[in-house]
Amino acid sequence: MIKKIKAVVIGLGVGLKHFEAINSCKNSKVVGVFDLNKKNSILLKDKYPKLKIFNNENEIFKDKNINLVSIASYDEDHFRQTLKCIKSGKNFIIEKPICTTKKQLDEINKLINKNKNVKFISNLPLRTEPIFKFFKKKIKKEKVYYIEADYLWGRYKKLFEWRAKSEDYSVINGAAIHMIDILIWMLDLKPTHVFTSSNNLITKKTIFKKNSFSIILLYFKNGLIAKITANACSITPHNHNISIYSKNYTLKNEIYDRYIISKKGKKNLLNIQYPHKDERKKLIRSFIHSLMDIKKKPLISMDETFFISKVCLAAIESEKKLKMIKI
């Protein structure tokens, strides 16, 4: 059990959201930051004068006062920094994905089992959204036979920043992972097989040479089928569309509406705000509370995080081999 959290944030893009969530907890504080662009750290220090700016990441792992590291760096850095966290005995929050290959995931799993005092979560915050909590409760006793979950990025230009330079970047690890997580969490079921097909029709003549659209089919032991897409080129607002089809209901979260259709064909609009981004801080907060009180559980467990990563890596393998893969 930890009495006071002293954290460092690596990466000041989405890491700023981690920063806010960590500082919003009692007896929890970000004491230092590291960013490859030092200007970002200096700007933040203007607002928080006591903040320490680390000159390189190794300084963080040598500092015995640090007991939590937030990893919000580029995808290809995650594996290296995760290993350093585990070996130095530091708890960590990591942006998805944990890593980019199955070999890396196996190594992390093996190492974490040897260092059981180290705890971590991956930042998959959609399960904190009120609409998805409602869906999870509504389908608990329902016979669900099909789900569609579409990650509509609506941020096409972002592909041409660091993602275009990264050898291992995948829209499956970068986008579909959120839908895979929310789907498995809502159903409380694990898929057994996956098949993926992708294309780069929109981006093949750009500097982003990887696939920018993927469609993933997940198969479950009870016969349920789920279709997930990672659509990085969608001309839409950023959204997480979900349609759940069961014996008695159809539930939908769409860009402009949330609703439920009953067996009689009646459509009832749901007065539930979406997105509710303030709720998303609860994932990191729950982890911090679990570090300070062993009786409290984080909203996503390490086992869940490992399995979600396993599904994504199996989907990427299927994409490469163009065949169904057993998870």
Side-chain angles (χ1 to χ4, degrees), residues 175-321:
I177 189 170
H178 287 290
M179 311 314 290
I180 290 169
D181 173 61
I182 198 68
L183 185 153
I184 292 173
W185 171 75
M186 285 192 300
L187 289 170
D188 197 23
L189 292 172
K190 291 181 177 180
T192 59
H193 294 77
V194 59
F195 178 80
T196 306
S197 185
S198 304
N199 70 44
N200 67 339
L201 289 175
I202 302 301
T203 55
K204 65 180 178 181
K205 293 184 179 180
T206 71
I207 60 170
F208 187 82
K209 301 301 181 185
K210 295 162 277 288
N211 289 320
S212 51
F213 174 81
S214 291
I215 181 167
I216 301 162
L217 294 177
L218 294 178
Y219 300 88
F220 294 78
K221 192 175 181 179
N222 68 351
L224 187 154
I225 301 170
K227 183 208 76 176
I228 292 172
T229 62
N231 191 341
C233 302
S234 65
I235 307 301
T236 63
H238 181 74
N239 204 62
H240 312 99
N241 283 11
I242 288 184
S243 299
I244 303 174
Y245 298 90
S246 74
K247 182 179 179 181
N248 295 305
Y249 301 105
T250 296
L251 301 110
K252 284 183 176 281
N253 182 65
E254 296 180 339
I255 293 173
Y256 301 112
D257 286 313
R258 282 143 292 288
Y259 57 91
I260 181 170
I261 301 173
S262 68
K263 219 172 184 182
K264 295 181 179 180
K266 186 178 179 181
K267 177 180 176 180
N268 291 314
L269 291 175
L270 300 170
N271 188 25
I272 301 174
Q273 180 184 336
Y274 189 82
H276 203 308
K277 292 188 177 180
D278 285 342
E279 292 288 306
R280 297 183 187 181
K281 293 177 184 177
K282 288 182 177 179
L283 189 82
I284 289 175
R285 287 175 185 160
S286 75
F287 178 61
I288 290 172
H289 293 155
S290 75
L291 294 177
M292 301 175 82
D293 183 350
I294 57 173
K295 293 180 181 178
K296 294 182 178 179
K297 302 296 181 184
L299 292 178
I300 183 168
S301 70
M302 291 195 292
D303 285 343
E304 286 178 297
T305 303
F306 274 120
F307 185 74
I308 297 304
S309 296
K310 191 176 178 181
V311 174
C312 288
L313 293 172
I316 291 170
E317 182 183 354
S318 174
E319 175 187 45
K320 291 175 181 177
K321 296 180 177 178

Side-chain angles (χ1 to χ4, degrees), residues 1-5 26-28 67 291-292:
M1 190 170 72
I2 300 173
K3 291 183 179 180
K4 287 188 177 181
I5 297 292
K26 187 179 179 181
N27 295 323
S28 175
N67 51 30
L291 294 177
M292 301 175 82

Side-chain angles (χ1 to χ4, degrees), residues 133-166:
K133 289 181 181 179
F134 173 82
F135 283 0
K136 180 177 174 67
K137 187 176 180 180
K138 196 71 179 175
I139 65 173
K140 188 174 182 180
K141 295 181 181 179
E142 277 293 301
K143 189 172 185 178
V144 178
Y145 62 91
Y146 177 58
I147 294 183
E148 292 181 351
D150 302 312
Y151 190 99
L152 301 176
W153 202 354
R155 298 164 177 175
Y156 178 64
K157 290 182 180 179
K158 283 195 171 187
L159 290 178
F160 311 118
E161 298 167 356
W162 64 267
R163 293 171 179 84
K165 300 173 186 176
S166 173

Side-chain angles (χ1 to χ4, degrees), residues 92-105:
F92 60 101
I93 302 160
I94 184 163
E95 269 300 314
K96 45 71 190 167
I98 307 171
C99 56
T100 57
T101 70
K102 186 179 182 300
K103 184 178 179 181
Q104 290 175 352
L105 188 66

Side-chain angles (χ1 to χ4, degrees), residues 14 29 33 40 47 51 71-72 77-78 102 114 116 121 123 146 207 253 255 278-279 286 289 292 295 297:
V14 70
K29 190 174 182 180
V33 293
N40 294 333
K47 189 176 180 180
L51 202 63
I71 300 172
D77 298 325
H78 289 186
K102 186 179 182 300
K114 290 181 178 179
K116 293 186 180 295
I121 60 162
N123 190 35
Y146 177 58
I207 60 170
N253 182 65
I255 293 173
D278 285 342
E279 292 288 306
S286 75
H289 293 155
M292 301 175 82
K295 293 180 181 178
K297 302 296 181 184

